[in-house]
Structures are given as structure tokens and as C-alpha cells.
Amino acid sequence: MLDGKKSLFSGMQATGTITLGNYLGALKNWVDIENEYMCFYSVVDLHSITVRQDPKVLRKNARDLLMLYIAAGLDPEKNCIYYQSHVSAHAELAWILNCFTYMGEMNRMTQFKDKSAKHSDNINTGLFTYPVLMAADILLYQADVVPVGIDQKQHLEITRDIAARFNNIYGDVFTIPEMYMGKAGRKIMSLQEPTKKMSKSDTNPNSHILLLDDPAVIMKKFKRAVTDSEGVIAYRDEQPGIKNLIDIYCATTGCTVEAALAEFDGLGYGALKQRVGEAVIAELEPVQQRFRDLSKNKDYINSIIKNNAEKAGYYATKTLRKVQRKVGFPDRIR
Ligand code: TYM
């Protein structure tokens, strides 16, 4: 709770153009619930440098992502859309929370295991303590809910554990956040290996749809999506490629699995891919158009960046000061 209102925090990494998975698993849901909460949506650039980045590319990706939040429909006047690195309280609270988190807890994090296997030449301590920074992000804004895809579940659980541990020692300091997931799109799979999560770091470009992909490219990628040899459109684990296409369709259009199956009854796989591709293009084209318009409006975006960093900083500092006081840091002299 913040100022008597329920609050919400979520973020995305600025490590490249986001995928359809990020959009359907998170961003689209953010837009759906923006009126119910006081919302903070961060471009989490501190998290991004746990993997080596080209500075110029990171800066561009971060700005593009901020614009994509708005292009997807988040109102920047109502929602606080900002860069994590512009609010130093994130790093400060993360340090404090590091001292309330155990090595054993971090060792269990599956994302750390996956990422350290992928980046074996750069297993840095930032990558290891990444979930603590994430906990700081969420707890700084006393978030009641955190809308994310299912892959973030373990990080949400550790956030709750850290918050409860801190509260047990110092009294009611943090709101214990709940995870929020949309009905569909919690885990969009790769179009090439449908048993694996769709991810922008996948080296096969046909495995993922990027939010700024051209419509023709989107259709081509769907046409190449891996399916199976069953020849029947059914929603079952034994047909992960088809199941994923149905999930994408439902998350995009808002229809139920039953309605989708009725609609696709009797279609071949080619026609199914065409339908899903068309639905995704219809959804993304307006987002892409707004993104292009926003890109031309530099001053407007700059004013959002400035104002929202101040707003986020105000609330974040309030929580940070409370925490600093609780752990025994000396009061500031005014
Ligand atoms: P990131 O940047 O990997 O992903 C951003 C959001 O997209 C969701 N997502 C997916 N959903 C469905 N299907 C997929 N294939 C898929 N891929 C990604 C993620 O669940 C996420 O919601 N650690 C976070 C960023 C973060 C954060 C936070 C999130 C930092 N601090 C605090 C929430 C609260 C991450 O790397 O997400």
C-alpha cells in the first residue's frame, strides 16, 4: 500500500527488443490492470548488466523499451514508467537485503543456474544476487501485486521470504507482495522448440517473435513454427507446438481455449498458423505504429523520463529511509 492505495510493481530487462512472450506474459496484462493500482513499471537496466552489454546498445534498448511500455497502452501520466538506474534507492535497498538473504537460498535459484551455464565466462556475483535486487525493486514500492510470467515465480517467492524475515525482526516494514498472472500467456514457448520458453536470447531468430518485427517477418516465423505429425488441432501436452499456437491465439485475442478449438475445427496446420499469425499482426501493428510516433517525440519522452524518475524516487526513498532507520543507521541531520 502506498498513500492508502494498493500498489503494483513490475519490470523488464532492457537486453534487446522484447518478445511476444514478454508481451503476452506481462506487458499486455499490465495494461489490463493499470486502473486498479498505483503502478510502477521499471526498465530494469541494473539487472541487465549482470550479462555483459554494449553501452550504446543498452542505452538504446532501454529507451526503446520505455517507449514500448507506452506504445503498448500504458498511460505514462497515470503509471510511473521509469529507468531503474535513475532511482538509486534500488541499489541501496538491495545491499541491505543482501544482508538478510542466505547463500543457500540464492544457490537454489534456477534462473541463476541456467544463466551461469549460458554465460560460463562471466558468472559474476551480480548474477548470483540478482533476485535480491528484484526483491528490492518490489519492496521499495510496497507492492501488493507483481504481474509477471510464470518463470518469475521462484523470484517472487524469495521476495516474500525476505520481506517476511525482515518484518519478523523489525515489525511491519514491507507489504508482502502477491504474484499476478493473466489467464493465458503465462508461458509462451519457442516456435522452434515448443518445450522451451520463448526467449529473446535464443540464437535462432525463428524461435521468437520480436515486438518490432515486420508483419511479413511475423507471418514467416509462424509459418515456420514447429508442429507435429498428428494432423489434429488439439490442446494437449503431447502436441506442444499446437498447444503453444493456441495459447498465443487465446492470450492475443482474449478468447477461451474451447472457443479457439471450435473456431479451428477442421482446419489444417497451415491454416492455423495463418490465423494465429494474423491475430498477432493485428495486435502488434498499432503498438508498432505508436512506437514509431513516440520515437519522433523526443521532448515528450524526455519529460516522462524526468518526471517519473522523480515520482518513483519520492516513494522509493520513503521506504528506504524507514528501512535504514530500522536497521540502525544514524539519522540524517537536516
Ligand atoms: P524478463 O525481462 O526476463 O521478462 C519480463 C517479463 O516477461 C515475462 N516473460 C514471459 N512470459 C510468458 N512467456 C514467456 N516466454 C516469457 N518470457 C518472459 C517474465 O515473466 C516477466 O514478467 N527479473 C525479471 C525483471 C524484473 C522484475 C523485477 C519483474 C526485475 N525486477 C521486479 C518483476 C518485479 C526479468 O528478467 O524479466
Side-chain angles (χ1 to χ4, degrees):
M1 296 281 273
L2 274 183
D3 284 355
K5 277 191 223 122
K6 288 213 162 197
S7 95
L8 177 158
F9 181 91
S10 202
M12 286 193 188
Q13 293 211 54
T15 36
T17 307
I18 56 171
T19 68
L20 185 64
N22 298 127
Y23 178 76
L24 296 177
L27 190 48
K28 192 170 156 67
N29 295 325
W30 298 358
V31 177
D32 288 345
I33 52 174
E34 69 169 357
N35 290 322
E36 297 169 40
Y37 299 92
M38 182 150 167
C39 300
F40 296 85
Y41 293 116
S42 187
V43 171
V44 293
D45 44 2
L46 298 184
H47 281 91
S48 302
I49 63 162
T50 51
V51 172
R52 203 69 74 224
Q53 303 289 334
D54 176 325
K56 273 203 205 94
V57 177
L58 176 60
R59 207 167 286 126
K60 177 176 185 312
N61 283 340
R63 192 168 172 106
D64 283 357
L65 182 55
L66 189 128
M67 288 193 289
L68 271 175
Y69 284 3
I70 304 168
L74 289 177
D75 179 348
E77 310 291 332
K78 276 199 250 161
N79 301 284
C80 190
I81 296 172
Y82 72 100
Y83 294 127
Q84 185 187 29
S85 62
H86 285 191
V87 179
S88 57
H90 287 258
E92 291 182 72
L93 181 62
W95 171 254
I96 297 174
L97 296 182
N98 265 319
C99 303
F100 291 84
T101 308
Y102 299 112
M103 296 286 287
E105 288 176 312
M106 293 294 98
N107 269 326
R108 285 205 307 273
M109 296 291 119
T110 51
Q111 188 170 303
F112 172 70
K113 288 182 198 160
D114 293 349
K115 283 204 177 172
S116 45
K118 244 191 218 162
H119 304 279
S120 54
D121 54 334
N122 180 20
I123 307 178
N124 58 72
T125 50
L127 196 60
F128 187 65
T129 58
Y130 177 112
V132 182
L133 178 58
M134 201 167 144
D137 299 341
I138 296 167
L139 301 178
L140 269 180
Y141 300 95
Q142 305 289 0
D144 294 275
V145 290
V146 182
V148 281
I150 208 160
D151 61 331
Q152 297 300 317
K153 189 163 182 264
Q154 203 183 27
H155 291 161
L156 248 289
E157 282 162 2
I158 192 77
T159 299
R160 290 166 57 89
D161 290 348
I162 296 170
R165 182 173 305 147
F166 198 92
N167 284 355
N168 265 337
I169 306 173
Y170 299 107
D172 252 357
V173 178
F174 295 125
T175 304
I176 309 286
E178 299 285 342
M179 180 166 173
Y180 173 95
M181 281 190 291
K183 282 192 205 78
R186 296 169 172 194
K187 191 171 186 188
I188 301 298
M189 310 307 265
S190 154
L191 296 181
Q192 290 299 311
E193 287 172 82
T195 49
K196 254 176 59 184
K197 182 181 84 163
M198 181 182 283
S199 163
K200 59 188 159 215
S201 59
D202 196 319
T203 47
N204 181 351
N206 287 323
S207 70
H208 50 248
I209 306 287
L210 298 177
L211 235 62
L212 296 174
D213 273 347
D214 260 12
V217 172
I218 295 178
M219 190 52 90
K220 201 173 74 194
K221 289 182 179 175
F222 275 114
K223 287 277 166 79
R224 290 188 180 162
V226 167
T227 51
D228 53 58
S229 53
E230 306 244 351
V232 188
I233 299 178
Y235 189 78
R236 52 194 206 110
D237 292 340
E238 292 75 14
Q239 291 179 257
I242 297 297
K243 187 172 184 227
N244 190 36
L245 290 174
I246 297 171
D247 274 334
I248 291 175
Y249 188 77
C250 291
T252 304
T253 60
C255 83
T256 61
V257 171
E258 293 71 34
L261 285 174
E263 196 182 324
F264 300 145
D265 190 33
L267 290 188
Y269 287 175
L272 169 71
K273 291 175 179 183
Q274 176 82 25
R275 291 271 187 100
V276 179
E278 281 165 3
V280 169
I281 290 167
E283 173 83 9
L284 295 188
E285 264 191 324
V287 176
Q288 297 182 348
Q289 185 53 49
R290 280 195 294 272
F291 176 83
R292 285 192 289 270
D293 294 343
L294 287 167
S295 306
K296 291 182 205 134
N297 212 337
K298 210 172 158 199
D299 291 345
Y300 172 65
I301 296 297
N302 285 348
S303 74
I304 285 166
I305 290 172
K306 182 170 182 293
N307 295 341
N308 281 339
E310 281 166 15
K311 182 176 169 191
Y314 168 79
Y315 287 105
T317 307
K318 231 167 133 171
T319 303
L320 179 68
R321 293 287 176 263
K322 195 168 167 187
V323 171
Q324 289 171 328
R325 181 129 233 301
K326 291 282 185 186
V327 297
F329 294 166
D331 288 334
R332 279 151 206 264
I333 311 294
R334 286 168 206 279

